[in-house]
Structures are given as structure tokens and as C-alpha cells.
Amino acid sequence: MPEGIPAQPDAATRAAMPQGAGPDPESGDADTPADVVAEAARAATDAPRTAGAPAEQSGHTDREAREQAGPQAPAQPLTQAQAQTQAQPDRRKDRSGQKAGAGEQQRRGAAQAPPPGGQERRTGQSVPFGRPMPMRRDGDRLRFVGAATRRIARGMDLDEIVMGLCRATVPTFSDAILVYLREPLPVGDERPVGPLVLRLRRTDRIPDERDTEGVYVPPPVPEQPAELSVVTNELCEVRPGSALGEVLRGVRPVFTDTEPARAALDELLGEDSELAVPDGRRTILAPLRGRRRVIGAALFLRRPERLAFEPDDLLVAAQLATHSALGIDKAVLYGREAYIADELQRTMLPETLPRPTGVRLASRYLPAAETARVGGDWYDAIPLPGSRVALVVGDVMGHSMTSAAIMGQLRTTAQTLAGLDLPPQEVLHHLDEQAQRLGTDRMATCLYAVYDPVSHRITIANAGHPPPVLLHLGGEAEVLRVPPGAPIGVGGVDFEAVELDAPAGATLLLYTDGLVESRLRDVWTGIEQLREKLAATAQLTGPDHPPPLEALCDDVLDMLGPGDRDDDIALLAARFDGIAPSDVAYWFLDPEDSAPGRARRLARRALDRWGLEELTDSVELLVSEVVTNAVRYATRPVTLRLLRTDVLRCEVGDDVGQLPRLRQARATDEGGRGLYLVNKLARRWGATRLSTGKVVWFELNRG
């Protein structure tokens, strides 16, 4: 038995005690005077030690001692407790032996607990079947607090921590628990501006499966009437100066048997609450205080048939409340960090991919881990003049907030450079200069490709990035031979672009190195596995039908194993549909006054050939207005192109770099209404600056 806890009299000793000297059923403490208990203990321990004391301590030999003692009284029979005490060695003489014996006794007491339905070892009261044994020792409380705090500390989010508190408390410490949290929960140093409102976050009663961590728990019994689970008030506004406000300000847990605490409990539960609160010290109200302010309250309840709480149980409730409140603070801060990371990553990547003419797109992004939600990987698809589209994928070193910030700057720079319609190698060159301006250690890889659906060609420039994979319509997967180049940020390196065929029905896959490289495989092994995976997926749909893009992306990510998630992953897939030559009409117009009339006639003939006569009036009007504006300022031939896809697209290009602006013409103006008509009649329209001038385009719905 641990030192400091007196030995408890057994059944025979209690029977020999005077009437009224038994333990109190409410508190569990003996009502006998201290001298009665001390006399019983001395009868069990001092007599054997005196009989066996060495003669050197008294200064006489054994024979002299027997002679001086005279005739001895007849020996009295020893009780069971005295016999056990006499048989055991005095562990207090050996400190190491005391520790070993105490630890063994604690383990034996936890493992060999009395059977359910028996008597409690200190009070002698019978324990109902299915009820946990009460904690009557300081060691029991310490073991329970240790197990409970470990369970609470395992939680990372708010629900896990609150559930850990409930599961650790019920039924070992209480029969039911109610957890109230502030609504909304403050984060960090935020100062709440509204009133203090508590919302019931979770309730728990004795469940079927119980936590047996370190404490004996008897088998479950059929459910009792749920009078402890009836809660009607889920919101409670704490008014300044109220009884509940004073209890929360005091921070310390309190019993609800006093009048102020009872008033605070009624205010928390509500006037119309049907919760049956037991009388006496069977309810503890514990405020939950975080690092800076009270963030909630916990209510521990015991049923009337169970022993009431003791004063030491207030310390247990205080420990539970403190660890839970600090854990909730941690979870709220972690949730805010995760929210910021998610928002940062979401804003850095495109929310939706565009739908350019002649190409279909799909994408995926996977963070490196749950604790590293942001990274330096990005992808983008940028519509370009002439129905072209730029496909970009890049990877900044690391997966942190800094990497995400650098990635955002590089992505913005790439979008700006794409809007200038620069060649891919020039885009990478300017990105390299931008990375050097950001810092000396800002390294990144990038692959920039431009697809033209009219010519069915693709131009690719690479800056130290893994090569793309092209999946042909017949099911063959090919790793494109693109000059690797140096990473962005090295400086002083020229980038080279290559132009390749992009046949209709083929799929181009751009990815970051997190997909093909890990601690378990090198990058070229991963690229070969990716090529084989694409070929196997294409065989499932047959040689004449390409696999769906979304399903293809999912199948590619399925190749990742448990040890392959060392880095974040960006994936961009492009299906090349192209535009057939029969759906394209292209002309050059000299910058003359007769150019608008000729443009109307050419457009009318193309629409008649395509069977789109219903669009003739609108197309003639809009083409005439746009060509008139181009001829007025152009010095070189003006280009006119019509594209028939799911919509009808018209593009007019000239050598003037100034973009037209939509403005409201006055009643006395003779011009300025051309773009106004385009804006009213067209489905979409826009103007894009080129290195050689600009392109003004508009689209009309077919039918």
C-alpha cells in the first residue's frame, strides 16, 4: 500500500469495532475517533514486532527478558489482517523494496479488482452491477488523470479533443458530462466583440463500450432511463454579473450544492430544462479557461445511486478542464492555420480551368501531407489569341508558406507574359529573371507549352522539369524528347523550344516530380511506371476511344504507394481535339475603304457553306464594324478568320498594338458605337495584344 494511506480494517476488525464506528456511506470516511482506529492498527502491527524485537535494543538477554516479564497471558488468536501483517516484511526499512512492493500492489489492485456487484473495499457498501468502482485512493486519481490527459492530448481537432474528454470521463469519473463551448470560439489574441454565448457542443452518458485504460470497469448493463441526457437549452448567454458569470470568472470547479452555484447551473441549463440534476455533491461545474479567457464549461454528473463527489475530485475536474481548454485552444489555432493554408493554396491555383476551343482539360493537386497543406507546385491553362492555349506546370523547391508565396509570384508573372504572346523560351527567360530578383536561393522548375488547335502543333520549352508524356489515340504512351534546360533561378542560361505534332485524340500529361520521384524510386523509374500506367489505362477503352480525362487522372494518382507521398503533386491533362481544316476560313484584307464590304461577302459565303445562314445578319454587322476599326489605323494587311466549333468565332487582327475600349457614345458623335454593338450582340468578345499588333475576337452561339 502506498505510503501515507493508512491500512484499512478488514471485515473481522470492523465487526469488533464499537457501535457507530463504521464508515459513513456518504463520504466513505470512518466516524470513529482517531484513537480507536490507531488502537486497531497497533493491535495488528506493534504486537508482533515487540515479540520479535532483538535483545540488544532493551539491554537484556532473551532469558532475562522472559524472567523479568513474568507469567505471560495466554496467546490470543490473530485476525486475518494481523497474520498477513506479521507474515510480510517491513518494507519501510528498505526504500527500494517499498517502491517495488507498492508498484506491484498497484498493478495487482488494477488487474485483480473485486467482481461487480460486490462491496466497496473502504466503505463496505455494495456496488450496483454495471457501476464503476469509485476512486477512493490518491493513486487511483493520479492514474485516472494521467490516462485521461493522455487521451485528451491525442486529439488534433476540436471534435477529437471534446470526444476524448467525454470518453475519458464517462463512466470512470462521472455518469454523464455536458460540454459547453463559446460561440464563436476566439482565435489567438482576438478580442470577442459580442456577448459571451455558450453552445452545447457535446453530451455523453455511460456508453456500451467503455474506456478501461488503467481502471476496472464492469461489464455494461441495459440502459437506464436517460434522465441525465435530457437537455433542452443548447444556447446560453452569460450576462455580466450573473451567477454563471461569477462562477466562470472564478475559473475553479465548484460543487452545485451551494445556492450561488445552483443558480449558475439553472442559468446554464435553462429554466425549461428537463435535466434531472441529482442532489448533494453529485454535480461539478468546471469552467474551461484557455490561455487568455474562458472558452466554455464542463458539467460532470453522477446518479443518485452512486457515491457523491469528494473534495479531492474538484482537483481532478480542474485538471481535466485545464488540459481540455488548452487542447481546444491548440485545436482552434491549428484549424486557423489549416484554413489559412487551404485558402492560400486555393487562391494560388486556378479555381476552374478554362474551356478553350479544340482542347479539353483536367487537373489534380495533392499536398505533401495533412500537416503541409501548401507547397510550391502549380499548374495553369491560359487562353491565347488565335484559339491557342498555354499549358504551364511548375515546382518551387519546398512545401511551405514561402514556397507558396514564390509560386504565386511566378504564376502571376507567367500569366502576364502569356498575355504578351511571347514564345515559350522567352517566357522561361523572363521567369528566370524574376526568380533572381526574388532572391538568390529561389529555385524552381517549369514547363511551358503552347497548343494550336488549327495547325495541330504544340511548342514546348523546359526549365529543368520532368518531361511530359503523350498518350496517343491507339494506346501508345510516349515520353516526349524535350531539352531539359536549367532550373529557373540559375541565371545566364538559354532555353530552347521544340515544336511537335499534337494529333487529334491524343492526351498530353504534365506533372511535377512528386508524382514520379520518392525515397523508394528515382525519377526515371517513376516516369517509366507512369508511361506503363497510361498505356494500361488506354487499353481498357480500346484503340479508337481515348480514356475519359477525369478517370485518367484518378488512375494516374492510384499508382502512388504508401511511401510515395514525399512531395506535393500537381497534374494537368490536356485532350487535343483540334479544329478540322474544313471548319476554318482565313483571309487577308488590304487596309482599304472597300475592306469592310469584302469582309461581309466572304463571311456570308462561309456561313452558307457551313449551313449557318441564320447568323448571317449578325455576323455581317459585327464583322463590318470590327474590320472598319482595324482598317482605319492599320498599315499592313488585316487578317479575318472564322472558326466553326461548338460556337462561331470571328477573329480580326491588325498591326496596331493599342487595344480598343468600350465607351458610351454621345448623341452628337458619328462613331464610337461599333464595340457597343459587339458587346450587345455577341456571346463573348475580347481584345488581346500580340507582339505584332492585336486581335479583336467575338463569339456567337450556333442556333
Side-chain angles (χ1 to χ4, degrees):
M1 186 170 298
E3 186 177 356
I5 301 179
Q8 302 300 311
D10 58 356
T13 307
R14 289 197 297 270
M17 288 183 179
Q19 185 70 22
D24 178 41
E26 179 69 23
S27 63
D29 297 329
D31 293 335
T32 59
D35 53 354
V36 178
V37 179
E39 185 65 27
R42 283 194 298 271
T45 58
D46 293 345
R49 293 181 182 177
T50 304
E56 290 78 8
Q57 295 181 2
S58 59
H60 302 281
T61 62
D62 295 342
R63 180 178 299 176
E64 291 175 350
R66 288 194 298 271
E67 293 177 355
Q68 293 179 5
Q72 298 182 1
Q76 299 292 333
L78 297 177
T79 64
Q80 182 180 359
Q82 292 172 348
Q84 293 177 357
T85 306
Q86 183 177 1
Q88 294 178 352
D90 189 7
R91 290 196 178 101
R92 278 179 288 187
K93 294 181 181 180
D94 187 0
R95 180 166 300 178
S96 61
Q98 176 202 9
K99 293 181 179 179
E104 181 65 27
Q105 183 177 2
Q106 291 176 1
R107 290 190 295 270
R108 189 183 302 113
Q112 300 177 358
Q119 291 184 349
E120 199 271 325
R121 61 183 180 181
R122 181 174 178 183
T123 63
Q125 291 184 346
S126 61
V127 178
F129 182 81
R131 291 294 175 191
M133 300 299 295
M135 293 181 292
R136 311 300 297 181
R137 298 285 190 268
D138 293 339
D140 295 342
R141 291 188 175 90
L142 290 177
R143 286 193 298 271
F144 165 71
V145 170
T149 52
R150 287 194 301 271
R151 185 163 191 170
I152 295 171
R154 284 198 297 261
M156 287 297 295
D157 58 8
L158 185 61
D159 293 333
E160 289 180 353
I161 293 175
V162 175
M163 182 181 294
L165 171 63
C166 296
R167 289 290 185 258
T169 303
V170 179
T172 308
F173 183 70
S174 62
D175 293 329
I177 182 175
L178 283 71
V179 181
Y180 289 83
L181 295 181
R182 190 163 188 159
E183 180 72 20
L185 279 170
V187 180
D189 297 334
E190 291 183 356
R191 289 185 172 273
V193 295
L196 175 57
V197 178
L198 299 181
R199 176 182 289 275
L200 182 62
R201 183 77 182 192
R202 185 178 178 87
T203 62
D204 204 354
R205 295 181 296 115
I206 297 180
D208 294 336
E209 297 179 359
R210 305 179 180 182
D211 184 11
T212 58
E213 190 172 356
V215 179
Y216 169 77
V217 178
V221 295
E223 286 285 345
Q224 301 290 334
E227 68 274 5
L228 293 182
S229 64
V230 181
V231 180
T232 57
N233 188 25
E234 294 188 359
L235 282 177
C236 172
E237 181 177 351
V238 183
R239 298 181 300 274
S242 62
L244 180 58
E246 294 299 323
V247 172
L248 295 180
R249 285 183 56 191
V251 180
R252 299 179 181 275
V254 296
F255 293 118
T256 59
D257 56 346
T258 61
E259 184 176 350
R262 186 70 184 190
L265 181 61
D266 295 339
E267 182 180 349
L268 179 65
L269 299 178
E271 298 179 356
D272 54 347
S273 175
E274 300 178 3
L275 180 64
V277 179
D279 296 331
R281 292 187 172 182
R282 288 183 171 82
T283 306
I284 295 179
L285 179 58
L288 301 178
R289 179 176 178 83
R291 292 175 176 83
R292 302 191 180 276
R293 60 186 63 85
V294 174
I295 60 175
L299 191 63
F300 306 94
L301 301 100
R302 285 185 179 179
R303 297 180 184 271
E305 61 268 19
R306 186 173 177 179
L307 295 179
F309 289 110
E310 298 180 357
D312 290 343
D313 291 331
L314 292 178
L315 300 178
V316 176
Q319 289 290 327
L320 297 176
T322 299
H323 283 274
S324 301
L326 294 178
I328 291 172
D329 259 358
K330 174 190 67 176
V332 171
L333 291 174
Y334 174 77
R336 174 58 64 89
E337 291 293 331
Y339 171 77
I340 293 175
D342 289 339
E343 286 296 309
L344 178 61
Q345 190 66 50
R346 185 184 62 82
T347 54
M348 291 299 180
L349 298 176
E351 293 185 5
T352 58
L353 292 174
R355 297 181 178 179
T357 303
V359 62
R360 286 174 287 174
L361 303 172
S363 62
R364 294 290 187 274
Y365 176 81
L366 293 180
E370 289 295 328
T371 56
R373 296 172 179 263
V374 294
D377 292 13
W378 91 92
Y379 61 88
D380 210 343
I382 309 169
L384 298 178
S387 300
R388 297 172 299 156
V389 59
L391 307 175
V392 191
V393 64
D395 183 6
V396 179
M397 289 192 309
H399 40 78
S400 61
M401 293 287 186
T402 303
S403 301
I406 298 173
M407 177 264 287
Q409 298 183 60
L410 294 180
R411 178 172 177 254
T412 303
T413 304
Q415 289 179 335
T416 304
L417 296 172
L420 299 176
D421 196 26
L422 297 178
Q425 64 272 22
E426 291 296 327
V427 172
L428 295 183
H429 176 73
H430 288 290
L431 285 177
D432 180 65
E433 293 180 344
Q434 176 66 14
Q436 294 181 57
R437 285 191 290 267
L438 295 177
T440 57
D441 57 345
R442 308 309 187 192
M443 303 288 292
T445 63
C446 182
L447 191 144
Y448 189 92
V450 176
Y451 170 67
D452 189 346
V454 177
S455 63
H456 297 271
R457 303 282 288 178
I458 185 170
T459 306
I460 306 176
N462 191 4
H465 204 78
V469 180
L470 184 64
L471 179 62
H472 294 272
L473 184 60
E476 178 187 358
E478 175 189 3
V479 179
L480 298 182
R481 298 181 178 273
V482 180
I488 291 174
V490 174
V493 180
D494 291 334
F495 299 98
E496 182 180 355
V498 294
E499 187 174 354
L500 305 172
D501 289 332
T507 303
L508 183 68
L509 193 69
L510 308 180
Y511 54 91
T512 57
D513 58 354
L515 180 65
V516 295
E517 184 180 17
S518 68
R519 293 172 295 177
L520 304 179
R521 59 183 179 183
D522 61 277
V523 60
W524 288 108
T525 302
I527 292 175
E528 181 62 23
Q529 293 178 359
L530 174 62
R531 189 192 65 81
E532 295 175 355
K533 183 67 176 180
L534 291 175
T537 304
Q539 292 178 358
L540 299 177
T541 57
D544 299 331
H545 301 280
L549 276 183
E550 298 294 337
L552 181 65
C553 293
D554 294 336
D555 290 342
V556 168
L557 295 180
D558 288 342
M559 64 177 284
L560 297 174
D564 294 339
R565 292 290 304 278
D566 299 333
D567 196 2
D568 46 344
I569 299 172
L571 181 66
L572 179 63
R575 172 71 46 73
F576 300 144
D577 295 333
I579 300 176
S582 59
D583 293 330
V584 180
Y586 192 85
W587 304 279
F588 287 94
L589 304 175
D590 292 331
E592 301 173 351
D593 295 339
S594 61
R598 185 185 175 198
R600 289 193 297 268
R601 292 191 298 271
L602 294 174
R604 186 186 311 114
R605 294 174 185 174
L607 295 178
D608 293 341
R609 185 171 65 252
W610 290 337
L612 300 177
E613 294 84 357
E614 68 276 5
L615 299 179
T616 302
D617 294 338
S618 299
V619 171
E620 286 185 355
L621 175 60
L622 299 183
V623 165
S624 177
E625 293 292 338
V626 175
V627 171
T628 300
N629 292 335
V631 170
R632 179 176 301 177
Y633 305 101
T635 58
R636 296 180 181 179
V638 176
T639 61
L640 173 62
R641 186 166 70 169
L642 297 180
L643 303 174
R644 183 185 64 170
T645 57
D646 54 343
V647 296
L648 179 66
R649 182 183 178 95
C650 177
E651 299 174 352
V652 177
D654 57 54
D655 60 345
V656 180
Q658 184 179 0
L659 299 180
R661 301 298 180 187
L662 180 64
R663 64 184 182 89
Q664 186 69 34
R666 293 174 295 182
T668 57
D669 292 341
E670 296 182 358
R673 296 177 178 84
L675 290 181
Y676 180 79
L677 294 175
V678 174
N679 184 58
K680 288 296 183 180
L681 299 179
R683 173 178 174 265
R684 290 194 313 158
W685 76 278
T688 306
R689 183 179 287 109
L690 303 177
S691 57
T692 58
K694 69 175 181 295
V695 170
V696 180
W697 56 270
F698 62 86
E699 293 178 353
L700 294 174
N701 292 324
R702 295 175 51 183

